[in-house]
Amino acid sequence: MAEGIARSLAPQGVKVSSAGSSPASVRPQAIQVLKEIGIDISGHRSKGMDSIDAGSVDAVITLCAEEVCPAFLGKAHRIHWGLPDPAGVTGTEEARLDAFRSVRDELRLRLKVLFESG
């Protein structure tokens, strides 16, 4: 979700990539809640940290809260936003979607501030 939102907000010329320590499939709930705000991530694929050239990265934002954060061994500026993983929420489909919406909204708020201040 973060990559999709960041790409929608980033100024021209800013390259946005995302990767995780344990890549899996892109969750259908993530696709759905971003579609609700006009962002299509249906073509995105989950990638591992080894897919990122550390030397080409200026900034890294980690989002891990309850899981182990990956180590990024580059000279990039680091920011940590400990957000809950909505994929871990159980219950009804609506409860799960609400968890994804909550994280979506928080990411959008923080990324707007980040890109406006840059």
Side-chain angles (χ1 to χ4, degrees), residues 30-41 104:
I31 294 169
Q32 182 176 339
V33 301
L34 286 186
K35 188 175 188 177
E36 293 171 358
I37 61 169
I39 299 172
D40 181 9
I41 62 166
R104 171 203 66 195

Side-chain angles (χ1 to χ4, degrees), residues 41-62:
I41 62 166
S42 61
H44 286 207
R45 298 291 168 253
S46 186
K47 300 170 285 301
M49 294 294 294
D50 57 349
S51 70
I52 304 291
D53 172 21
S56 68
V57 176
D58 295 320
V60 173
I61 301 172
T62 53

Side-chain angles (χ1 to χ4, degrees), residues 2 61-67 69 79-85 107:
I61 301 172
T62 53
L63 303 175
C64 35
E66 55 275 338
E67 66 277 9
C69 279
I79 301 169
H80 178 70
W81 295 339
L83 298 178
D85 183 355
L107 282 169

